[in-house]
Amino acid sequence: MTLSVALQHVFAGFALDLAFDAPAGVTVLFGPSGSGKTSVINAVAGLLRPDRGRIVLADRVLFDGATGVNVATRQRHVGYVFQDARLFPHMSVARNLTYGGRHDADNIITLLGLTELLGRRPDTLSGGEKQRVALGRALMADPALLLMDEPLAALDAPRKAEILPYIEALRDDLKIPILYVSHDVAEVARLATTLVLIQGGRVTCAGPVETVLADPATVPLMGARDAGAVIRGIVQRHDRDGLCVMAFDGGQLILLGPLGPVGAAVRVRVAAQDVILSLAPPTGISALNVLTVTVTGV
């Protein structure tokens, strides 16, 4: 299932004019604040009617400015998770979850680790727990598309670490497109399957996350500190000193900390600023990873 978006809309002092496709998996809309990311997902949700354009989910037209088609928000079968959880404070977690439906309730509760929270009220939950409940509520409505607008932006690092594995599980288990807004490169590298860079209301680059992040042409758009590459690999073993060995197409990487069980598929983001080039085998330094490579371009 693929979401196709093409839209144009003029705001006061700002114009949105872009097009992209979001296949199954997580498509991250990445760009600076004010670039139009939230406006895009609001248009997909039906909360914003574009001046012109066409939005199609699989073979279902949600909006077509030329023909006048504009499916009502409640009929688009879209799940929306906002930056703030927006739970009903007077309802228990269980009632919040089933407010929009009960689709696959037992599996969703298990997948998101919500069993122990069902009888509690939102004001007793941590930020990460609230976002898991909001995510579960969206999924129980049986959406054909999931929209997530910077769902981790208000969370501190420990709460982000708590919820990221759940979003990864949804990415791997669900067969629907997930449109995810972020300006955090670490989130992008960990979650995205497709990356769409947006600047000034226009798409500047789009494609598989590994390709886009590794393209030197994107460095001015993302910033030199965020430039780098994403490498996919398999956890090969855990050593007693707390290091982990990951096997990938180019050999092995030695990494800090447990990344997952042996055999697990993982991603590693290598920041460009952490790479050292040497014309001879380096000696007298503490680098654990030394790879033989060929420079193909500068």
Side-chain angles (χ1 to χ4, degrees):
M1 182 182 293
T2 297
L3 170 72
S4 295
V5 176
L7 55 88
Q8 296 175 313
H9 191 77
V10 177
F11 301 92
F14 178 76
L16 200 62
D17 185 359
L18 51 74
F20 64 89
D21 289 335
V26 176
T27 296
V28 173
L29 306 183
F30 181 91
S33 297
S35 59
K37 305 183 299 296
T38 297
S39 296
V40 171
I41 63 171
N42 282 343
V44 173
L47 302 177
L48 168 69
R49 177 168 184 159
D51 296 330
R52 293 175 296 280
R54 182 177 170 87
I55 301 172
V56 182
L57 179 59
D59 56 355
R60 185 168 178 246
V61 179
L62 303 181
F63 174 79
D64 192 327
T67 62
V69 172
N70 186 32
V71 176
T73 299
R74 66 183 181 276
Q75 297 174 335
R76 294 194 178 196
H77 305 299
V78 169
Y80 201 141
V81 180
F82 297 88
Q83 182 173 327
D84 52 332
R86 304 194 185 188
L87 302 179
F88 296 110
H90 62 292
M91 293 183 180
S92 67
V93 166
R95 290 186 63 200
N96 267 285
L97 285 169
T98 57
Y99 179 83
R102 296 175 180 270
H103 170 73
D104 205 17
D106 291 342
N107 286 337
I108 290 171
I109 289 170
T110 300
L111 180 65
L112 296 176
L114 300 175
T115 303
E116 302 301 320
L117 307 179
L118 295 177
R120 292 168 58 180
R121 292 285 183 92
D123 61 358
T124 69
L125 304 178
S126 69
E129 289 169 339
K130 289 178 182 178
Q131 285 301 77
R132 282 156 52 197
V133 175
L135 185 51
R137 181 176 61 183
L139 293 173
M140 284 192 189
D142 192 19
L145 168 69
L146 186 60
L147 305 175
M148 305 183 75
D149 187 9
E150 299 200 60
L152 308 184
L155 304 182
D156 57 20
R159 301 292 80 76
K160 284 187 180 183
E162 169 194 326
I163 196 172
L164 275 168
Y166 294 104
I167 300 177
E168 286 179 311
L170 293 176
R171 176 198 64 203
D172 297 337
D173 293 347
L174 295 180
K175 304 304 179 185
I176 64 174
I178 301 173
L179 203 56
Y180 189 106
V181 170
S182 178
H183 61 262
D184 185 326
V185 174
E187 283 180 36
V188 172
R190 182 163 177 176
L191 297 175
T193 50
T194 301
L195 179 57
V196 179
L197 300 183
I198 300 178
Q199 190 170 42
R202 287 167 169 75
V203 172
T204 56
C205 187
V209 64
E210 294 95 338
T211 302
V212 175
L213 285 182
D215 186 351
T218 66
V219 173
L221 306 175
M222 306 188 72
R225 291 191 59 83
D226 289 329
V230 174
I231 298 174
R232 294 177 185 261
I234 302 294
V235 176
Q236 196 169 52
R237 72 173 189 271
H238 297 287
D239 292 337
R240 292 181 180 179
D241 54 7
L243 298 177
C244 171
V245 178
M246 184 192 86
F248 73 109
D249 288 345
Q252 293 181 336
L253 288 179
I254 301 173
L255 305 164
L256 180 64
L259 298 181
V262 173
V266 294
R267 299 181 186 186
V268 171
R269 176 173 169 267
V270 180
Q273 62 182 349
D274 291 336
V275 176
I276 298 171
L277 297 181
S278 174
L279 296 179
T283 59
I285 63 174
S286 61
L288 295 176
N289 296 293
V290 179
L291 304 176
T292 301
V293 302
T294 300
V295 176
T296 60
V298 177

